[in-house]
Amino acid sequence: MTWVDGAAGSPYGVQNLPYGAFRHDGREPRLGVRVGDFVLDLDGAEAAELVLAGGALRRPVLNDFLALGRPQWTAVRRRIIELLTLPEHRAAVEPLLIPLAEVELTLPFAVGDYVDFYSSEHHASNVGQIFRPGQPMLLPNWRHLPIGYHGRAGTVVVSGTPVVRPCGQRPTSDGPVYGPSARLDIEAEVGFVVGVPTELGDRVPIEKFADHVFGVVLVNDWSARDIQAWEYQPLGPFLGKSFATSVSAWVVPLDALAHARVSAPPQDPPVLDYLRDEPHHGLDLRLEVEWNGGVVSRPPFSTMYWTPAQQLAHLTVNGASLRSGDLFASGTVSGPERDQTGSFLELSWGGREPVTLADGSARTFLEDGDTVTIRATAPGPDGTTIGLGEVTGTILPARHG
Amino acid sequence: MTWVDGAAGSPYGVQNLPYGAFRHDGREPRLGVRVGDFVLDLDGAEAAELVLAGGALRRPVLNDFLALGRPQWTAVRRRIIELLTLPEHRAAVEPLLIPLAEVELTLPFAVGDYVDFYSSEHHASNVGQIFRPGQPMLLPNWRHLPIGYHGRAGTVVVSGTPVVRPCGQRPTSDGPVYGPSARLDIEAEVGFVVGVPTELGDRVPIEKFADHVFGVVLVNDWSARDIQAWEYQPLGPFLGKSFATSVSAWVVPLDALAHARVSAPPQDPPVLDYLRDEPHHGLDLRLEVEWNGGVVSRPPFSTMYWTPAQQLAHLTVNGASLRSGDLFASGTVSGPERDQTGSFLELSWGGREPVTLADGSARTFLEDGDTVTIRATAPGPDGTTIGLGEVTGTILPARHG
């Protein structure tokens, strides 16, 4: 039981302890761990030798810590739990707790490569029906491999960063025109943060997943559907996605999600050997999409067809190397029901069925000034809850109409 | 006229002066400029205050120098020309010249994001005919925007790095099977290295191209055609490309290519305003593809439909920001003739028409042990030639058959 005010029993008690980076008092970003409504200053904690990680906690981003590997991650986590629970540490540690309200959260890790998967069967089927009516909902490859592509790592931004409505080409019956996207959308996703790198030519088999992956963030893969629809053949999404991808400020360690493991949906046809995972485990992360203050959808991550371990095994099976800070996202999380979908494309069924927001206004896609916040929780030990924080962003008008 | 032995009149005289990074004498990588068959040690030159760049030349990669911008790039170039031509500098500079044969060249810049375009009309038409016979050669969007996608930055490697044959899924009539790629190919491309970054929401209009782009590398975008064909719908190439992308060790500054500017092919239909460039300039870079020691193709970069300035304007028109070290490649360079194509997919027409190599052996795609070297030259001032170095790689057998 932690001695930190208000932390015990909260989704950010010592069962969670997510890592992030923050500014405070005008100093450069430093690392911290969230406990309750405080940030434990890890830079200060390692400087005071309260916790030791070879200096990796005294950096502006998590990458050096991510590279240390699971034994070190676990040792540091155990030590932080001691610091926050044993009364004998209170006097030394309390001065290192900063109220969350006083800090500005910054991007917690420098993103190496960013890969985005497409692993929800419900989402892929919905998109198939909306864009290719009358044809099979899933393409022939979809059940054989986790479809994915590389996104733009340099435009991954931390939660709270405003999103400028992108301009680009969209198709009309008279040919393409240039202007602001008229079908700006979200994609509610879960991202996995790579810790331990690999060499070129190596691969990460299913059973080594937890040796390489440190933790989890929430992702909003903002998408301009009109730009995407016109550009994406034959090489995939490009400008329709590359203007911004938001991630939550807190990286929840896999260690905190041990109680969230659930069986993933069965896979048929059977997968090739390199993708076989037994037990076939997903994570019971419960997402919530809030549009201008009201919840419009509750996507269940437990329904994902391809698991994160399968995604990483696939991503590396060709010998592609990993770097600390690589991010791979699940793809839009959509459950079987309309109010469980993770994109407004699905929620408004291609823009044909407007959604009524809490304030009574109607929406299909995003309007300027709209704010979307994605939150998630997971079951923790002993009936506790793990909070995954939030990823939020507000749409600013296009700059170059 | 340079006093460096053998440099005057060579493709690496003072009209060229490409930048790279190298190891020598067991030290960590440092920066250098190639002149003739020597490397001028820029770390040593800046340490001795022979050239000043605020310390940016005393790094293991070019990124800090790239960020300085065109006025500084030009000033440093002028200074290096002075050092290598004025006899009064010879005594101080000569000890900083290291024979090329004694160094190991390393990746010259840390790659931010890697974008690959698809801007040769001949290549896109050939691929269309091979994969979609009987249908229009180009998709409807192709003449309206430079099609592109993000590749894996973490697997960009320097020339000379061996390439392990990738494994993955390839389709058969009985469904997908796992194994080594049987259709391993090259793509001969030209890459552009971004120097000056931009902020999120900004864009780089056509006329600002040279403010942001520092120079040029050769690129071999190794491609596993069987893996690619099975995976690429609907989100584009992924594992078929992500196992390795090779770049030449020398970055040729745009300043060295002023005499290589030529009119690019006319564009019809007219492009949207943000893509309009007048004059519509390409670069007369003459590529050569050598397969196991014999030249099999001579792709002319001057035939590219979309210009690098149009590519960069498109890449940023949605507000995507740039970082120093971002790399964007042209896409496969193919001219109108079969022996001007930049991929073996085209050279062997989908594997149906084997190519005879200099040693008499026949090939469709790459076999283990094969070596491919792409070279290029461009016209320089006063009848000189600019050498773009080479990008080479040898295929190693698959590790996980």
Side-chain angles (χ1 to χ4, degrees):
Chain A
M1 173 98 160
T2 175
W3 48 259
V4 177
D5 248 7
S10 93
Y12 300 95
V14 290
Q15 79 282 12
N16 189 346
L17 300 178
Y19 290 80
F22 67 98
R23 282 181 204 273
H24 183 245
D25 273 350
R27 284 176 50 190
E28 286 303 290
R30 55 200 141 127
L31 298 176
V33 152
R34 178 169 178 179
V35 53
D37 289 331
F38 295 90
V39 182
L40 170 63
D41 175 357
L42 288 175
D43 179 76
E46 188 162 16
E49 300 185 3
L50 290 165
V51 57
L52 296 174
L57 299 173
R58 309 204 61 198
R59 304 274 186 277
V61 286
L62 285 167
N63 297 57
D64 284 355
F65 178 63
L66 296 175
L68 295 178
R70 184 147 299 282
Q72 282 265 52
W73 303 335
T74 301
V76 167
R77 180 176 169 82
R78 287 199 182 129
R79 177 62 182 163
I80 293 172
I81 292 173
E82 280 177 14
L83 295 176
L84 296 172
T85 52
L86 300 182
E88 71 221 51
H89 294 301
R90 183 166 183 164
V93 173
E94 206 155 32
L96 296 171
L97 292 176
I98 306 170
L100 201 53
E102 292 180 13
V103 308
E104 175 201 348
L105 296 168
T106 55
L107 194 64
F109 55 100
V111 182
D113 273 295
Y114 163 47
V115 164
D116 193 22
F117 283 97
Y118 187 58
S119 289
S120 160
E121 181 176 357
H122 304 294
H123 172 68
S125 302
N126 288 337
V127 170
Q129 287 177 69
I130 292 168
F131 283 131
R132 300 183 304 270
Q135 293 175 48
M137 290 191 290
L138 294 175
L139 291 173
N141 55 14
W142 198 89
R143 288 180 192 279
H144 293 282
L145 51 80
I147 293 285
Y149 69 101
H150 284 88
R152 190 165 184 82
T155 53
V156 174
V157 297
V158 72
S159 176
T161 307
V163 173
V164 176
R165 180 180 297 274
C167 290
Q169 292 194 25
R170 47 199 169 83
T172 72
S173 52
D174 296 329
V177 296
Y178 172 81
S181 170
R183 289 164 72 93
L184 187 56
D185 196 0
I186 66 152
E187 294 194 336
E189 308 195 12
V190 175
F192 293 82
V193 181
V194 171
V196 175
T198 62
E199 295 291 324
L200 200 66
D202 285 350
R203 53 182 187 168
V204 180
I206 293 275
E207 65 274 14
K208 299 282 189 192
F209 175 78
D211 291 352
H212 290 273
V213 172
F214 173 74
V216 171
V217 289
L218 297 176
V219 177
N220 187 345
D221 180 31
W222 305 94
S223 299
R225 299 296 179 195
D226 37 8
I227 295 173
Q228 183 185 349
W230 172 235
E231 75 180 358
Y232 88 102
Q233 281 181 318
L235 301 184
F238 184 33
L239 299 195
K241 303 275 198 172
S242 64
F243 56 94
T245 304
S246 302
V247 295
S248 56
W250 296 109
V251 185
V252 173
L254 283 190
D255 278 335
L257 297 173
H259 294 262
R261 295 181 81 182
V262 287
S263 287
Q267 296 183 314
D268 182 32
V271 297
L272 287 169
D273 279 351
Y274 79 92
L275 291 170
R276 194 168 297 161
D277 55 349
E278 281 160 7
H280 178 53
H281 268 157
L283 288 170
D284 182 15
L285 312 179
R286 301 159 195 184
L287 279 64
E288 227 177 57
V289 180
E290 197 183 273
W291 194 347
N292 292 349
V295 173
V296 293
S297 178
R298 291 188 165 83
F301 189 73
S302 59
T303 61
M304 298 301 279
Y305 190 87
W306 294 102
T307 67
Q310 291 179 316
Q311 291 170 336
L312 188 64
H314 185 64
L315 166 55
T316 59
V317 77
N318 68 346
S321 49
L322 298 175
R323 292 181 288 175
S324 300
D326 280 353
L327 171 67
F328 62 98
S330 59
T332 308
V333 181
S334 290
E337 306 300 328
R338 181 74 68 90
D339 63 0
Q340 295 180 316
T341 56
S343 73
F344 299 155
L345 177 75
E346 293 162 272
L347 199 64
S348 70
W349 209 249
R352 293 190 286 276
E353 302 175 15
V355 180
T356 303
L357 302 187
D359 67 0
S361 63
R363 285 287 188 289
T364 50
F365 294 97
L366 287 158
E367 298 190 2
D368 291 344
D370 280 3
T371 295
V372 174
T373 305
I374 302 165
R375 294 191 180 84
T377 57
D382 307 319
T384 58
T385 294
I386 303 288
L388 279 90
E390 62 174 38
V391 55
T392 188
T394 297
I395 305 302
L396 301 185
R399 285 200 200 156
H400 308 280
Chain B
M1 173 97 161
T2 176
W3 48 259
V4 177
D5 250 6
S10 93
Y12 300 96
V14 291
Q15 79 282 12
N16 189 347
L17 299 178
Y19 290 80
F22 66 99
R23 281 181 205 273
H24 183 246
D25 274 349
R27 284 175 51 190
E28 286 303 290
R30 53 199 144 128
L31 298 177
V33 152
R34 176 168 179 181
V35 53
D37 289 330
F38 295 89
V39 182
L40 170 63
D41 175 357
L42 289 174
D43 180 74
E46 188 162 15
E49 300 187 4
L50 290 166
V51 56
L52 297 174
L57 299 174
R58 310 205 59 199
R59 304 273 188 278
V61 285
L62 285 167
N63 297 57
D64 284 357
F65 178 63
L66 295 176
L68 294 178
R70 186 146 297 282
Q72 282 265 51
W73 302 335
T74 300
V76 167
R77 179 175 170 81
R78 287 200 182 126
R79 178 60 183 164
I80 293 173
I81 292 173
E82 280 177 15
L83 295 175
L84 296 171
T85 51
L86 301 182
E88 71 220 51
H89 294 302
R90 183 164 182 166
V93 172
E94 207 155 28
L96 296 170
L97 291 177
I98 305 170
L100 201 52
E102 292 180 12
V103 308
E104 175 201 349
L105 297 168
T106 56
L107 195 64
F109 55 100
V111 182
D113 273 295
Y114 163 48
V115 164
D116 194 21
F117 284 96
Y118 188 58
S119 289
S120 159
E121 181 176 357
H122 304 293
H123 172 69
S125 302
N126 288 338
V127 170
Q129 288 177 68
I130 292 169
F131 283 132
R132 300 182 304 271
Q135 293 176 47
M137 290 190 291
L138 295 175
L139 291 172
N141 54 15
W142 198 90
R143 288 178 191 279
H144 292 283
L145 51 80
I147 293 287
Y149 69 100
H150 284 87
R152 189 164 185 83
T155 53
V156 174
V157 297
V158 72
S159 176
T161 307
V163 173
V164 177
R165 180 180 298 273
C167 289
Q169 292 193 26
R170 48 199 168 82
T172 72
S173 52
D174 294 330
V177 296
Y178 172 81
S181 170
R183 289 164 71 94
L184 186 55
D185 195 1
I186 66 153
E187 294 195 337
E189 308 196 12
V190 174
F192 293 82
V193 180
V194 171
V196 175
T198 62
E199 295 290 323
L200 201 65
D202 285 351
R203 54 182 185 168
V204 180
I206 293 273
E207 65 274 14
K208 299 281 190 193
F209 174 78
D211 291 354
H212 290 274
V213 171
F214 173 73
V216 171
V217 289
L218 298 177
V219 177
N220 187 346
D221 180 30
W222 306 94
S223 299
R225 299 297 177 194
D226 38 8
I227 296 173
Q228 183 185 349
W230 171 235
E231 76 180 357
Y232 88 103
Q233 282 182 317
L235 301 184
F238 183 34
L239 299 196
K241 303 274 199 173
S242 64
F243 56 94
T245 304
S246 302
V247 296
S248 56
W250 297 109
V251 185
V252 173
L254 284 189
D255 278 337
L257 297 172
H259 294 262
R261 295 180 80 182
V262 286
S263 288
Q267 296 182 314
D268 183 31
V271 298
L272 288 169
D273 278 350
Y274 79 92
L275 290 170
R276 194 167 298 160
D277 54 349
E278 282 160 6
H280 177 51
H281 268 157
L283 287 171
D284 182 15
L285 312 180
R286 300 160 196 183
L287 279 63
E288 227 176 58
V289 179
E290 197 183 273
W291 194 346
N292 292 350
V295 173
V296 293
S297 178
R298 292 189 164 83
F301 189 74
S302 60
T303 61
M304 298 299 280
Y305 190 86
W306 295 102
T307 67
Q310 291 179 316
Q311 291 170 337
L312 188 64
H314 184 65
L315 167 56
T316 59
V317 75
N318 68 345
S321 48
L322 297 176
R323 292 181 289 175
S324 300
D326 280 354
L327 171 67
F328 62 99
S330 59
T332 309
V333 181
S334 291
E337 306 301 329
R338 181 74 69 89
D339 64 0
Q340 296 180 315
T341 56
S343 73
F344 299 154
L345 177 74
E346 293 162 90
L347 200 63
S348 70
W349 209 250
R352 294 191 286 275
E353 302 175 16
V355 180
T356 304
L357 302 188
D359 66 1
S361 62
R363 286 288 189 286
T364 49
F365 293 97
L366 287 159
E367 298 190 2
D368 291 344
D370 280 3
T371 296
V372 174
T373 305
I374 302 164
R375 297 192 178 84
T377 57
D382 307 319
T384 58
T385 294
I386 303 288
L388 280 91
E390 62 174 36
V391 57
T392 188
T394 297
I395 305 303
L396 301 185
R399 286 201 201 156
H400 307 280

